[in-house]
Amino acid sequence: MSRFAVGKMKTTVTGRKDQRVGYKYSMITTREETSLRQNPTSKPDLEPETFWPNLSEKSELLQTDQIEKLAKNLPPRTVGYPWTLIYSTAKHGMSLKTLYRSMTGVDTPMLLVIKDSDGQLFGALASEPFKVSDCFYGTGETFLFTFYPEFKIFKWTGDNMFFIKGDMDSLAFGGGGGEIGLWLDGDLYHGRSHACKTFDNCILSKKEDFYVQDIEIWAFE
């Protein structure tokens, strides 16, 4: 962008006509414009720097590029907070009861990452901690994701409010049309994924029915 700085201007009066003499100006050129002139194909870098989260410990499931992709899609209220691993099957065993207990005293969104027996990664971002509930809970911040065969995010469609449902025998995300987007049993061993109206998602795993190999749950605090 160019800006103009006005210099001195003389005015002489002859009869009723003004004759402006010696009108001077100078052009100020910004660094961005200079850069564009030197390299016409370049564009100013308007994108903010990628925020790299601080993890409380190394993830055994997520690679660096996968963490970056997820971080870009998290709710704004999680930005700036470190990722804290509050539950993993490697540390705490495969138990839904233990998973619920790990939520005690935590009040942030939860990132659930699943690795199945086929080596595929997928999961969900829950708008609030997991709990036993009589009905569905959560907000439109909740979404499903998969890295198979490529990274995809499935956000709330607005069709219904079947975000999260937990009981002692299962944990479920999404619903509508008789199908659940993502479901885990009480032993966190067997799972299922279907297309559902809440998120308009595809099947997250390679097959509708899958077996869990590992799980990590990250809070933001």
Side-chain angles (χ1 to χ4, degrees):
M1 179 183 297
S2 298
R3 299 182 178 88
F4 293 92
V6 179
K8 293 182 179 179
M9 179 181 69
K10 290 183 181 179
T11 303
T12 60
V13 180
T14 306
R16 294 183 181 180
K17 294 182 180 180
D18 291 346
Q19 294 178 347
R20 303 192 175 203
V21 181
Y23 191 95
K24 300 178 181 179
Y25 65 88
S26 59
M27 181 179 289
I28 301 173
T29 306
T30 63
R31 281 184 295 178
E32 290 86 352
E33 187 174 14
T34 301
S35 176
L36 282 172
R37 286 177 178 174
Q38 292 173 348
N39 184 6
T41 60
S42 68
K43 294 182 180 179
D45 184 10
L46 302 178
E47 293 295 326
E49 291 185 6
T50 301
F51 175 75
W52 178 254
N54 179 30
L55 276 62
S56 63
E57 55 192 281
K58 185 179 182 295
S59 173
E60 298 299 324
L61 303 184
L62 294 169
Q63 302 298 315
T64 300
D65 63 319
Q66 295 170 328
I67 293 172
E68 183 178 333
K69 288 174 181 177
L70 286 169
K72 289 179 179 178
N73 289 278
L74 294 176
R77 64 189 174 111
T78 67
V79 176
Y81 288 94
W83 292 24
T84 304
L85 184 65
I86 63 170
Y87 175 84
S88 75
T89 49
K91 287 186 175 183
H92 305 101
M94 303 184 79
S95 166
L96 188 54
K97 291 180 182 178
T98 304
L99 187 157
Y100 287 139
R101 283 198 295 269
S102 70
M103 303 288 121
T104 304
V106 183
D107 187 22
T108 79
M110 295 287 155
L111 180 65
L112 167 70
V113 183
I114 301 169
K115 183 177 183 180
D116 69 8
S117 57
D118 289 322
Q120 305 304 321
L121 285 178
F122 49 91
L125 185 284
S127 59
E128 55 191 272
F130 303 120
K131 61 187 178 182
V132 175
S133 58
D134 294 328
C135 56
F136 280 90
Y137 64 94
T139 71
E141 289 179 321
T142 304
F143 63 74
L144 301 179
F145 69 88
T146 183
F147 286 99
Y148 174 79
E150 60 185 1
F151 180 65
K152 289 182 181 178
I153 290 279
F154 303 98
K155 296 192 175 183
W156 180 41
T157 63
D159 191 271
N160 59 50
M161 300 183 71
F162 301 153
F163 299 115
I164 314 159
K165 171 102 173 44
D167 56 43
M168 297 311 295
D169 298 318
S170 66
L171 180 62
F173 302 84
E179 302 292 357
I180 294 175
L182 178 61
W183 176 90
L184 295 171
D185 71 1
D187 295 323
L188 301 180
Y189 175 67
H190 176 231
R192 184 175 299 124
S193 178
H194 287 280
C196 73
K197 292 185 177 180
T198 311
F199 303 109
D200 191 25
N201 60 289
C202 63
I203 296 173
L204 304 178
S205 46
K206 239 180 188 180
K207 299 166 285 192
E208 290 184 1
D209 290 271
F210 61 85
Y211 293 100
V212 176
Q213 180 174 315
D214 283 301
I215 288 176
E216 289 182 349
I217 298 179
W218 298 85
F220 307 91
E221 56 179 9

